[in-house]
Amino acid sequence: MRTVEEHRAALVGLVSALPPVTVPLSESLGRVLAADVVAAVDLPGFDNSAMDGYAVRSADVVGAGPASPVVLDVDGDIAAGDTRRHVLRRGATMRIMTGAPMPDGADAVVPVEQSDGGTDRAALMLAAEVGKHLRRRGEDVRSGDVVLRAGMRMTPGRLALAAASNVAEVLVAARPRVSVVSTGDELVGLGSPLDHGRIVDSNRPMLMALVEAAGAELVGFGHVGDDGEALASLLELGRGDPDLVLTTGGVSMGAYDTVKEVLSRSGTVEFSKVAMRPGMPQGAGVVGPRRTPIVTLPGNPVSSFVSFHIFVVPVLRALAGLDPEVALVDGVAAQGWSSVPGKVELTRVVLGPDGVRPSGGQGSHMLGALADATHLAVVDAATTNIEPGDVVHLLPLVGQD
Amino acid sequence: MRTVEEHRAALVGLVSALPPVTVPLSESLGRVLAADVVAAVDLPGFDNSAMDGYAVRSADVVGAGPASPVVLDVDGDIAAGDTRRHVLRRGATMRIMTGAPMPDGADAVVPVEQSDGGTDRAALMLAAEVGKHLRRRGEDVRSGDVVLRAGMRMTPGRLALAAASNVAEVLVAARPRVSVVSTGDELVGLGSPLDHGRIVDSNRPMLMALVEAAGAELVGFGHVGDDGEALASLLELGRGDPDLVLTTGGVSMGAYDTVKEVLSRSGTVEFSKVAMRPGMPQGAGVVGPRRTPIVTLPGNPVSSFVSFHIFVVPVLRALAGLDPEVALVDGVAAQGWSSVPGKVELTRVVLGPDGVRPSGGQGSHMLGALADATHLAVVDAATTNIEPGDVVHLLPLVGQD
């Protein structure tokens, strides 16, 4: 029986990183940066006023105060957005708005509150020193500064910073292209009536959602019954030219476990038992003329859901050129639960304000617990009991709030 | 000067909830449920085996044990996925796989580990009582159970549960349709060279990203200069039939504040100072023949970013039929900072493992701080200093990790 780490390493070893891609900044939301982003301009781009007031030469307002106003000619107004190049003559001032570019020659601003508000001539009551109430060009960001680092995911705020830095394109990690195939004669399409022994093909929509939520691109999906020939041809096809094929079902030891039967014959896909619960039966390898990597997930929906997080996410990250390992977060158990000995137990849990609790029934057939779960608790093979107050290691679920 | 609450209430009052929409489950990822989801089938859908082993009538294995095996004829195999209806005759057994449907008449399973593994006749060494190693039909979910509640956001796990419950469509909150217009002659498109006094039109891509990350649909965007006529016509147009128009810029008191000038004349848009920092100048109302709601955001990118979170998110939520209020989370300050008296201060902060810290320079022109910020700390008007250890109230940033 393989350990989780051994199987994960084998899977990650099947793939190579896809080359990163350049995208327009406007299409980068949610993508992961593959290179640092370097500012193309200074921020602010020019000296500008931090207040509504009067742009002055500080030398002209020496000694100014409430009791000793300095009166200067007002040579005009500069609004935010004014792109003209103004020059402030000695002994004069210009009215200036917050954010407006400083006129050449001015080196300080007297706020309107410390003036008489004059429009032709103004009495200024502050001996503003050099730089007072100014925002200096480049004081936030300098052209050439690294403003965002490789590995960061693009959020609206980061996109705003890159945009203001006049960066029109960014290099981002590729989105792996994934095909999803569910297998099994017993499956019926969503919304169809269920006869005896039939179940809804819920793995396919689930995996499609997981693929999308994990930042990969779904390029094909389908269902095949337990007809080995159809199955084999579908896998040969590599429809949509995927970087990865995911199947669910048919990997146990039943008479209908066609995926295992067909792919074992190919010699390029290996089936293993992995020391974890749920999700013991696993398989992986390459298929088709392009030797497309394939991961065969168990048909049990909970096992498939858990396996996606434990094995497929690292493969998708490796394809994207990222560290395959997802960082676990620590939580404190608010209640105890038991765990299977000798296997890693992946408990569906809710991380709430009071700590970590299993989110309902944990049988591998129990889907109800998925409604509220936020994380998988990764309980190692040696641990058989979690006690309240224990620190537990949590893997965040993909696409979770 | 309005309070934040007063202005927010005025904005939310401009809109009515859009009717919820029915979408195929496969397109529901990330959407917010507008109605409870009710299971259409039992989960599991039929009694099935929890183990690989032998389906038995418990009456036939009374007294069985390691020292006293009961030997039964094996009448066949039932694999997971077998949809035939089997009947177990008295005094016989059938081999059964995990997840396979129980044959009629059987009421318990003897695990293969407690047998001799026989295929024609099997020696069973467990006196399995009624229900032993069975998963009962409906023990996870019963047809008619509420499996997901209105207001929940659809995650892959919830989608899986709804799919398994044979729910093909769900009613979700509408995605409001939003147009974004940036204004100002000083703005140049991303990637263009910057002359004196010009700045990159970063608000437009930023707001487009925020709209998308907030779950709304972008139906139009553009930029207009400070030509009042062009501006007025653009706003009249309601291109793309939006539910909400956002503008940035032109709402202060400068000579170039065309948005304010043009829309004030309409009589249907009101401009206000709001007691907050950043983001004091705000405006809102309705425009055009359809009386489309409009929110005019300040042109300063940081003010615009903050205003989106404080004012636009509640409007989008109201349009979607959700509680406009976003729940704040509590954090503990890891370092102190000062806050403006008399106004709500919205500090861009990072919530890290050691607590809450301002994420760099907080000047309203400081965009660098947006790279790492995860939340806005909402510091009320009466508070002028946050001390280390203080509890602060945090608004999560839209589209954050």
Side-chain angles (χ1 to χ4, degrees):
Chain A
M1 192 134 59
R2 278 185 173 176
T3 66
V4 168
E5 290 70 27
E6 286 165 354
H7 190 62
R8 184 154 49 204
L11 265 59
V12 167
L14 291 173
V15 301
S16 309
L18 300 166
V21 291
T22 298
V23 298
L25 186 67
S26 59
E27 294 170 17
S28 67
L29 185 67
R31 304 294 292 262
V32 177
L33 289 173
D36 292 347
V37 172
V38 174
V41 294
D42 292 330
L43 288 179
F46 43 84
D47 291 355
N48 69 85
S49 179
M51 302 286 283
D52 292 341
Y54 295 85
V56 296
R57 293 174 193 267
S58 54
D60 289 341
V61 292
V62 170
S68 55
V70 169
V71 178
L72 299 176
D73 285 343
V74 178
D75 267 8
D77 293 353
I78 311 175
D82 191 337
T83 56
R84 293 170 295 176
R85 187 174 283 278
H86 298 277
V87 181
L88 183 65
R89 65 181 172 89
R90 289 190 186 281
T93 185
M94 297 183 81
R95 292 206 304 169
I96 192 164
M97 302 297 159
T98 304
M102 290 292 286
D104 289 352
D107 57 19
V109 170
V110 175
V112 67
E113 294 81 358
Q114 287 165 297
S115 77
D116 66 351
T119 53
D120 290 336
R121 291 173 64 78
L124 307 181
M125 289 167 264
L126 177 72
E129 65 269 35
V130 173
K132 190 70 181 176
H133 297 310
L134 284 198
R135 300 164 178 168
R136 287 287 188 195
R137 174 175 184 154
E139 76 174 35
D140 186 16
V141 170
R142 290 196 170 278
S143 180
D145 280 357
V146 171
V147 289
L148 300 173
R149 292 176 296 281
M152 282 181 161
R153 200 172 67 83
M154 287 298 276
T155 59
R158 288 172 181 157
L159 203 144
L161 174 57
S165 305
N166 210 13
V167 172
E169 296 180 332
V170 288
L171 192 71
V172 297
R175 298 180 68 195
R177 297 159 55 83
V178 182
S179 277
V180 172
V181 180
S182 59
T183 72
D185 281 341
E186 77 276 25
L187 300 183
V188 300
L190 197 54
S192 305
L194 298 186
D195 293 334
H196 174 77
R198 297 199 179 265
I199 58 175
V200 179
D201 182 5
S202 61
N203 280 340
R204 188 152 48 107
M206 175 183 81
L207 285 171
M208 289 164 63
L210 284 168
V211 163
E212 185 184 335
E217 187 183 356
L218 189 76
V219 293
F221 56 90
H223 168 258
V224 295
D226 294 310
D227 170 348
E229 215 169 299
L231 189 61
S233 70
L234 184 61
L235 295 176
E236 282 296 306
L237 215 58
R239 279 180 193 166
D241 198 14
D243 301 309
L244 178 66
V245 173
L246 301 178
T247 66
T248 62
V251 294
S252 256
M253 40 216 62
Y256 299 88
D257 288 327
T258 346
V259 172
K260 188 172 177 179
E261 195 187 317
V262 170
L263 294 179
S264 290
R265 266 190 258 129
S266 74
T268 58
V269 182
E270 201 180 347
F271 292 86
S272 322
K273 288 186 175 182
V274 179
M276 62 190 276
R277 186 173 81 175
M280 191 178 66
Q282 300 285 341
V286 296
V287 289
R290 292 179 56 249
R291 298 182 63 78
T292 305
I294 184 171
V295 176
T296 68
L297 300 169
N300 175 304
V302 173
S303 301
S304 196
F305 181 84
V306 168
S307 301
F308 184 92
H309 286 84
I310 301 299
F311 298 124
V312 179
V313 168
V315 171
L316 293 176
R317 293 178 59 89
L319 278 167
L322 306 174
D323 178 359
E325 204 76 26
V326 175
L328 300 183
V329 295
D330 283 350
V332 175
Q335 71 179 70
W337 69 90
S338 64
S339 170
V340 64
K343 293 182 179 177
V344 173
E345 175 108 14
L346 298 151
T347 315
R348 281 75 70 205
V349 298
V350 185
L351 173 58
D354 68 335
V356 178
R357 298 176 186 279
S359 71
Q362 294 288 323
S364 68
H365 62 299
M366 294 287 201
L367 279 154
L370 292 184
D372 297 312
T374 59
H375 294 76
L376 295 177
V378 182
V379 183
D380 65 39
T383 302
T384 54
N385 262 295
I386 299 290
E387 305 288 346
D390 283 358
V391 172
V392 288
H393 307 300
L394 305 175
L395 183 68
L397 294 185
V398 165
Q400 207 55 34
D401 280 318
Chain B
M1 194 134 59
R2 277 184 174 177
T3 66
V4 168
E5 290 69 28
E6 285 165 354
H7 190 62
R8 183 153 52 206
L11 264 61
V12 167
L14 292 172
V15 301
S16 310
L18 300 166
V21 291
T22 299
V23 296
L25 186 67
S26 58
E27 294 169 19
S28 68
L29 185 65
R31 303 293 294 262
V32 177
L33 289 173
D36 292 348
V37 172
V38 175
V41 294
D42 292 330
L43 288 180
F46 43 85
D47 291 357
N48 68 86
S49 179
M51 301 289 282
D52 292 341
Y54 295 87
V56 296
R57 292 174 194 267
S58 53
D60 290 340
V61 291
V62 170
S68 54
V70 168
V71 178
L72 300 175
D73 285 342
V74 179
D75 268 8
D77 293 352
I78 312 175
D82 190 337
T83 55
R84 294 170 295 178
R85 188 174 282 278
H86 298 277
V87 180
L88 183 65
R89 63 180 174 90
R90 290 193 185 279
T93 185
M94 299 182 81
R95 291 206 306 169
I96 192 163
M97 302 299 161
T98 304
M102 292 291 286
D104 289 351
D107 58 18
V109 170
V110 175
V112 68
E113 293 81 358
Q114 288 166 294
S115 77
D116 67 352
T119 53
D120 290 336
R121 289 174 66 78
L124 306 180
M125 291 168 266
L126 176 72
E129 65 270 34
V130 173
K132 190 74 181 171
H133 298 307
L134 283 199
R135 301 164 177 169
R136 286 288 187 195
R137 174 176 184 154
E139 77 175 32
D140 186 15
V141 169
R142 290 196 170 278
S143 180
D145 280 357
V146 170
V147 288
L148 301 173
R149 291 174 297 282
M152 281 182 162
R153 201 173 65 84
M154 286 299 276
T155 59
R158 288 172 181 158
L159 202 144
L161 174 57
S165 305
N166 209 13
V167 172
E169 296 180 330
V170 287
L171 192 70
V172 297
R175 297 179 69 195
R177 298 157 54 83
V178 181
S179 277
V180 172
V181 181
S182 59
T183 71
D185 281 341
E186 77 277 24
L187 300 182
V188 300
L190 197 54
S192 306
L194 298 186
D195 294 334
H196 174 77
R198 297 199 179 265
I199 58 175
V200 179
D201 182 6
S202 61
N203 278 341
R204 188 152 47 110
M206 175 183 82
L207 285 172
M208 289 164 64
L210 284 168
V211 163
E212 185 183 334
E217 186 183 355
L218 189 76
V219 292
F221 57 89
H223 167 259
V224 294
D226 293 310
D227 170 349
E229 217 168 300
L231 189 61
S233 70
L234 184 61
L235 295 176
E236 281 298 306
L237 216 57
R239 278 179 196 168
D241 200 13
D243 301 309
L244 178 67
V245 173
L246 301 178
T247 66
T248 64
V251 294
S252 258
M253 42 217 60
Y256 300 86
D257 287 327
T258 346
V259 172
K260 188 172 176 180
E261 194 188 317
V262 169
L263 294 180
S264 290
R265 263 189 262 130
S266 75
T268 56
V269 182
E270 200 179 348
F271 292 86
S272 323
K273 288 186 176 183
V274 179
M276 61 189 277
R277 187 174 84 174
M280 190 180 65
Q282 300 285 342
V286 297
V287 288
R290 291 180 57 250
R291 298 183 65 78
T292 306
I294 183 171
V295 175
T296 69
L297 300 169
N300 174 305
V302 173
S303 301
S304 196
F305 181 84
V306 168
S307 301
F308 184 92
H309 286 84
I310 302 298
F311 297 124
V312 180
V313 168
V315 171
L316 293 175
R317 292 177 59 88
L319 277 167
L322 307 173
D323 178 356
E325 204 76 27
V326 175
L328 301 182
V329 295
D330 284 348
V332 175
Q335 71 179 70
W337 69 88
S338 62
S339 170
V340 63
K343 293 180 179 178
V344 173
E345 175 109 14
L346 299 151
T347 314
R348 281 74 69 205
V349 299
V350 185
L351 173 59
D354 68 335
V356 178
R357 296 177 187 278
S359 72
Q362 294 288 323
S364 67
H365 62 301
M366 295 286 202
L367 279 153
L370 292 184
D372 297 312
T374 58
H375 294 75
L376 296 178
V378 181
V379 183
D380 64 40
T383 303
T384 55
N385 263 293
I386 298 290
E387 305 289 344
D390 283 357
V391 171
V392 287
H393 307 299
L394 306 175
L395 183 69
L397 294 185
V398 165
Q400 208 52 36
D401 278 320

